[in-house]
Amino acid sequence: MTRLSERNSRLYRADSLERVSTPDLTTAPQAIDPAFENVWDELVWRGLVHVSTDQEALRALLAGDPITYYCGFDPTAASLHLGNLVQLLTLRRIQLAGHKPLGLVGGSTGLIGDPRPTAERTLNTRETVEDWVGRLRAQVERYLSFEGENAARIVNNLDWTAPLSAIDFLREIGKYFRVGTMLKKDAVAARLNSDEGISYTEFSYQILQGMDFLELYRQYDCVLQTGGSDQWGNLTSGTELIRRAEGASVHAIGTPLITNSDGTKFGKSEGNAIWLDADMCSPYRMYQFWLSTADSDVIERLKVFTFLTRSEIEEYAELVAAEPFRRAAQKRLALEVVATVHGVEATAAVIAASEALFGQGDLTTLDAETLRTALEELPNATVGAGTPVVEALVSTGLVSSLSEARRAITQGGVTLDGERVDDETATVQGSLPGGVSVLRRGKKTLAGLFVG
């Protein structure tokens, strides 16, 4: 048994959160994983480089004096999601290696919208975009350090786009772009071949993003942009613009689009994105999402979404191969990511709720809000105080009829709030924190009751 597996038996209880290995961003930048000579090598090992400009030049650049680099986030929703988390953690990794990040929130590009492959975006109002800019800015700030010699900055591209007239835009920026090259960009080409076509508004998006890189190069000597590989056309519009306008060579890294081993899109659950905002996706739901990671995917997820070292991740790979039934890697993945996104305290509450719901803890001691959000993810129903348990079983779908409910109780297969129900006349009172109850049929089939 490895030293890692020896500690797994106690790692996942709520009192184990002190062992979460997320970096302390209030201190000086930490060295990269000692297994690597250069943060570039670590990015490559973690599978974060799908496409890039000159790799040898990038390796030398990241091994040298601190550089300024950036990643942009467009306010096309009220929250960032797991796809954006890849970029946020990449920003953090490079900062921890001593470099200076710029987090760009697109107040202007958010008013336009990056072209989708299938159809034109619906333009949001200026008021909506302004509100979302504030929300996204607060999220981006959580992943960066704003102290020390390599302190981060948050910038908004509306600051340099809004004052620019259409004539100045065409004369000073547009003259550097060639329409033939723009037409070859993947997103543009896909739209040109669709029934929808593409508007001049969305066609111009790549110019705006290229202008962002040029502006940041001029203001902050920014020489590297990171983003998703599906943004490669937009990333290179900036590198090419700087080459033409300034005669300088700058760089871009495109991270891979994360997919599951079966090829399905990562981060989607029945059409619902896993958002980073707790009001749009509860910490409990996020925790359960990571717990459900397939064995074939979990090691790659640990590389991308956690700050565990190479040696730690390799030990988890051994555990997945030798003892997959323990799901040790999934538990550590869920613990690490939820602690990174929502904090240690929220993660402790989620773990306690998860354990208690499945019979390994005291339901009466749980945080009321965490318990309610957990029950919202289960089959549930709203019932009145005093509702018979047999009716509640039917209402939640745990059984299909009252006769089946009575039979389940007679057979000793029903519990309410952790206590076995022996009486067919038993009623629901909502005795758990927050006025809720938990029904269980058998060992693993649960439902929530919101008692009004």
Side-chain angles (χ1 to χ4, degrees):
M1 181 179 289
T2 66
R3 58 183 171 80
L4 187 63
S5 59
E6 287 174 347
R7 70 174 183 259
N8 278 339
S9 61
R10 64 182 187 280
L11 181 62
Y12 310 112
R13 297 197 63 81
D15 60 3
S16 72
L17 268 292
E18 64 191 33
R19 288 183 285 279
V20 174
S21 59
T22 50
D24 180 2
L25 297 182
T26 64
T27 64
Q30 301 179 18
I32 62 170
D33 186 330
F36 304 98
E37 295 181 4
N38 188 314
V39 68
W40 169 259
D41 296 331
E42 181 173 355
L43 294 176
V44 170
W45 176 77
R46 290 183 182 273
L48 289 169
V49 182
H50 179 75
V51 63
S52 74
T53 50
D54 187 277
Q55 294 197 7
E56 288 304 314
L58 270 168
R59 190 177 192 279
L61 186 71
L62 291 171
D65 294 335
I67 65 164
T68 299
Y69 63 102
Y70 94 99
C71 183
F73 303 89
D74 274 350
T76 55
S79 172
L80 299 174
H81 52 74
L82 287 189
N84 303 124
L85 185 60
V86 177
Q87 304 308 322
L88 291 169
L89 298 181
T90 301
L91 283 176
R92 178 191 270 189
R93 291 183 204 284
I94 299 175
Q95 184 181 29
L96 290 173
H99 302 291
K100 304 174 184 179
L102 298 169
L104 183 148
V105 181
S108 64
T109 43
L111 290 167
I112 301 302
D114 186 18
R116 294 182 298 182
T118 53
E120 196 85 3
R121 290 182 182 272
T122 300
L123 298 181
N124 295 303
T125 66
R126 292 179 180 272
E127 293 75 18
T128 296
V129 172
E130 183 179 3
D131 176 55
W132 289 352
V133 164
R135 291 171 183 262
L136 266 58
R137 175 176 182 138
Q139 288 185 334
V140 173
E141 287 175 344
R142 294 191 59 224
Y143 295 85
L144 301 172
S145 171
F146 293 83
E147 299 179 358
E149 294 182 356
N150 67 332
R153 292 176 182 265
I154 301 294
V155 294
N156 183 342
N157 57 20
L158 191 63
D159 293 342
W160 55 82
T161 306
L164 192 65
S165 71
I167 295 297
D168 289 340
F169 175 70
L170 293 173
R171 285 176 59 86
E172 298 175 15
I173 304 297
K175 67 180 181 180
Y176 292 112
F177 285 80
R178 298 296 175 262
V179 172
T181 302
M182 295 174 68
L183 291 172
K184 294 177 183 177
K185 305 295 185 183
D186 289 344
V188 173
R191 286 283 293 281
L192 286 173
N193 293 322
S194 71
D195 293 337
E196 286 282 333
I198 188 170
S199 70
Y200 180 74
T201 299
E202 289 196 359
F203 180 65
S204 302
Y205 180 93
Q206 59 186 289
I207 301 180
L208 292 176
Q209 186 163 332
M211 187 172 70
D212 288 344
F213 202 170
L214 176 63
E215 187 68 24
L216 297 177
Y217 173 80
R218 288 172 171 172
Q219 284 195 41
Y220 303 105
D221 194 26
C222 178
V223 293
L224 171 63
Q225 180 182 182
T226 67
S229 59
D230 61 336
Q231 291 284 308
W232 188 243
N234 294 327
L235 300 180
T236 55
S237 72
T239 60
E240 184 64 15
L241 175 59
I242 293 170
R243 185 187 68 81
R244 290 175 176 271
E246 300 291 328
S249 177
V250 295
H251 293 278
I253 296 173
T255 60
L257 298 183
I258 308 298
T259 58
N260 296 320
S261 56
D262 61 4
T264 58
K265 191 171 182 179
F266 168 74
K268 297 287 185 179
S269 177
E270 297 181 356
N272 297 317
I274 303 296
W275 303 102
L276 304 188
D277 188 313
D279 291 333
M280 297 173 66
C281 175
S282 71
Y284 181 86
R285 180 180 171 218
M286 179 178 283
Y287 185 80
Q288 296 300 323
F289 171 84
W290 291 109
L291 279 184
S292 67
T293 303
D295 289 342
S296 54
D297 294 321
V298 68
I299 298 305
E300 295 308 310
R301 300 290 183 264
L302 284 170
K303 291 180 181 180
V304 171
F305 290 101
T306 79
F307 288 86
L308 298 183
T309 65
R310 180 173 184 167
S311 61
E312 288 176 303
I313 292 173
E314 288 174 346
E315 288 188 67
Y316 276 111
E318 294 174 8
L319 283 174
V320 171
E323 302 175 321
F325 58 91
R326 296 188 185 278
R327 300 189 68 76
Q330 285 87 345
K331 292 175 183 177
R332 186 64 184 270
L333 173 65
L335 183 151
E336 292 282 343
V337 180
V338 178
T340 297
V341 175
H342 295 296
V344 170
E345 185 176 340
T347 308
V350 163
I351 293 174
S354 183
E355 291 181 342
L357 285 172
F358 289 94
Q360 298 175 343
D362 186 352
L363 288 166
T364 64
T365 65
L366 297 180
D367 170 72
E369 182 178 355
T370 302
L371 179 57
R372 289 186 70 88
T373 57
L375 296 186
E376 288 171 357
E377 301 299 326
L378 300 173
N380 62 74
T382 300
V383 300
T387 298
V389 171
V390 289
E391 293 183 12
L393 284 164
V394 175
S395 298
T396 56
L398 293 185
V399 299
S400 58
S401 65
L402 292 176
S403 60
E404 184 181 355
R406 295 188 185 96
R407 186 162 55 251
I409 291 174
T410 301
Q411 294 172 348
V414 176
T415 63
L416 175 68
D417 299 338
E419 301 292 333
R420 191 169 72 177
V421 178
D422 296 317
D423 187 351
E424 294 181 15
T425 64
T427 59
V428 175
Q429 299 300 326
S431 58
L432 297 180
V436 300
S437 281
V438 176
L439 266 180
R440 182 198 309 271
R441 185 186 180 191
K443 293 183 178 181
K444 295 183 178 180
T445 307
L446 299 175
L449 295 172
F450 299 97
V451 183

